[in-house]
Amino acid sequence: MHLLVTGGCGFIGSNFIQHMLAAHDDLLIVNLDKLTYAGNRRNLAEVEASHLDRRYFFVHGDICDQTLVPELMRQFRFDAVLNFAAESHVDRSINDPFPFITTNVLGTQNLLEAARKAGIPRFVHISTDEVYGSLGPTGQFTEDTPLAPNSPYSASKASSDLLARAYFHTYGLPVIVTRCSNNYGPYQFPEKLIPLTYLMASRNEPIPVYGDGLNVRDWIYVLDHCQGVEAALFRGRPGAVYNFGGDAEKTNLQVVRTILRLTGRDESLISFVADRPGHDRRYAMAFTRSTADLGWTPAYSFEDGMARTLAWYQANAPWLDEVQSGAYRQFMDSWYAERKA
Ligand code: NAD
Ligand code: TYD
């Protein structure tokens, strides 16, 4: 089976490629990645060392490229496209929405169009629970919840989901959309809450908690998400949407306190800062369709997933040092100073 994975050098994509190559002998994977600040080829160094000449190919390129994308599809005759590539951080989308529209909307459109012209038999588009907007204190998102995105990031993802839907209905392209809650695990870039908190705690630096810290997210260990995407690839129904969640609703303060406890740090590191503009209050996912149709449920508890995640970050200090130096540090410092003011 020939797969085109986009954004495979990012957090979830790199976990997905590692998982798929370990689980299946008959795959050839082409990873198309632009290597933005969030993409790191070293996330797949072991895969490159063991599979490069046979089952894994890296292509440095942009999903918006209207020459490269059709050319790859012509050359490799893919059985499926899995679109992980995206600008993925809400705070950055608030600072500058343009790259989000370019990659998440126009890039997805370019992939869908090339897949349609090449007659690709399956297209899995990776999306997020954030497209559903924000919940009150009770209830859960289902696949039928109306889309109501609130940030430039979630609006760009909702737009790409709608394009995927349109390509199914108009052209019959066999598109499946997956929507997942907040992921955590190895290789996550330390701008997102869990790796950022670990990084700050490990340096005894203040941990910025937005607003009152009582916003709720549902947390899922990244391998559970990868197995959900794998199930959607093999067993998903074209035209369907599948939700994945971790059955682990936590306030941000609960998450931060868990990391402080597991790293032996004091709660005095918690620093309340100005809230994120338009901050969604609560996300929660119902995934009964994924269980019924795909046989999928999350396997990792929050406690187990967090223990694995922190152990990975502790064992991979050079990775963390490398990705959070230079431009990253500048971005975080100015963002944090703005919030504190
Ligand atoms: P990430 O930011 O870690 O990685 C994104 C990857 O896409 C990077 O390797 C980057 O270089 C690449 N990329 C960006 N623009 C590109 C372009 N124009 N062309 C080619 N490659 C490009 O993101 P992630 O957290 O791994 O998220 C992967 C996907 O999963 C995204 O579509 C995101 O919306 C979705 N998702 C993420 C979460 C989460 O909690 N992280 C939850 C649900 C869904
Ligand atoms: P984040 O990891 O950015 O994911 P998302 O915005 O996609 O849910 O944020 C998770 C939650 O943590 C969200 O409610 C915002 C909050 N947050 C903080 O309180 N402090 C931080 O430094 C960050 C990055 C996030």
Side-chain angles (χ1 to χ4, degrees):
M1 195 178 198
H2 290 192
L3 302 182
L4 175 62
V5 174
T6 70
C9 292
F11 163 47
I12 303 171
S14 60
N15 278 284
F16 180 77
I17 289 175
Q18 292 185 46
H19 166 71
M20 291 297 280
L21 287 172
H24 306 277
D25 290 331
D26 58 343
L27 294 184
L28 179 149
I29 295 185
V30 174
N31 171 14
L32 172 62
D33 198 299
K34 186 180 170 184
L35 296 180
T36 67
Y37 77 95
N40 186 348
R41 201 167 165 182
R42 273 182 225 169
N43 294 358
L44 290 165
E46 279 178 31
V47 165
E48 292 208 0
S50 54
H51 298 289
L52 189 57
D53 53 342
R54 291 179 298 127
R55 297 171 53 207
Y56 172 78
F57 297 89
F58 173 67
V59 177
H60 185 190
D62 192 329
I63 60 167
C64 301
D65 188 324
Q66 293 183 30
T67 307
L68 175 65
V69 169
E71 181 56 25
L72 284 176
M73 291 199 188
R74 197 187 58 74
Q75 267 188 28
F76 284 95
R77 297 171 189 278
F78 295 111
D79 299 290
V81 173
L82 297 116
N83 183 28
F84 290 87
E87 289 292 338
S88 69
H89 190 36
V90 173
D91 291 330
R92 285 179 191 258
S93 82
I94 294 168
N95 271 12
D96 180 9
F98 279 101
F100 287 75
I101 308 308
T102 305
T103 286
N104 300 1
V105 186
L106 300 178
T108 300
Q109 153 69 16
N110 189 42
L111 286 169
L112 289 165
E113 182 63 14
R116 172 176 89 84
K117 288 190 172 140
I120 302 283
R122 189 151 282 227
F123 190 114
V124 184
H125 176 64
I126 316 303
S127 190
T128 165
D129 59 356
E130 303 194 27
V131 298
Y132 297 123
S134 186
L135 289 166
T138 57
Q140 293 182 312
F141 298 129
T142 73
E143 289 86 352
D144 299 320
T145 303
L147 303 191
N150 292 317
S151 72
Y153 164 67
S154 54
S156 70
K157 292 298 290 187
S159 305
S160 60
D161 290 14
L162 293 179
L163 283 168
R165 176 190 159 91
Y167 267 74
F168 172 74
H169 283 279
T170 305
Y171 303 114
L173 184 69
V175 182
I176 293 161
V177 174
T178 64
R179 298 190 179 129
C180 191
S181 59
N182 283 59
N183 286 222
Y184 64 98
Y187 303 101
Q188 187 168 31
F189 193 81
E191 64 187 353
K192 307 278 167 61
L193 180 66
I194 287 179
L196 178 78
T197 300
Y198 171 78
L199 177 67
M200 295 303 186
S202 64
R203 299 172 156 188
N204 291 307
E205 287 185 32
I207 295 156
V209 172
Y210 301 166
D212 62 6
L214 298 180
N215 300 63
V216 173
R217 297 291 181 266
D218 171 59
W219 293 95
I220 183 170
Y221 188 60
V222 64
L223 272 185
D224 276 330
H225 184 189
C226 292
Q227 284 173 354
V229 174
E230 178 186 21
L233 168 68
F234 292 126
R235 296 190 288 284
R237 184 171 43 84
V241 174
Y242 295 102
N243 280 358
F244 303 127
D247 254 345
E249 279 185 57
K250 308 277 171 207
T251 65
N252 294 335
L253 269 178
Q254 283 174 317
V255 170
V256 168
R257 286 190 175 124
T258 302
I259 296 170
L260 291 174
R261 182 170 46 79
L262 291 173
T263 53
R265 298 303 197 275
D266 195 84
E267 291 199 7
S268 59
L269 286 181
I270 293 174
S271 165
F272 288 97
V273 298
D275 208 353
R276 170 188 280 172
H279 197 173
D280 286 337
R281 192 62 174 170
R282 177 170 165 264
Y283 304 147
M285 285 295 250
F287 47 83
T288 43
R289 179 184 293 169
S290 296
T291 305
D293 290 9
L294 308 177
W296 178 91
T297 49
Y300 295 87
S301 68
F302 183 71
E303 292 67 30
D304 184 16
M306 281 297 285
R308 286 168 189 268
T309 301
L310 297 189
W312 186 86
Y313 279 97
Q314 273 153 359
N316 289 275
W319 182 93
L320 201 50
D321 283 343
E322 184 193 313
V323 301
Q324 58 83 55
S325 57
Y328 163 81
R329 190 74 200 175
Q330 257 172 17
F331 173 83
M332 294 307 298
D333 284 351
S334 64
W335 181 254
Y336 183 57
E338 217 173 275
R339 286 296 166 87
K340 237 174 135 183

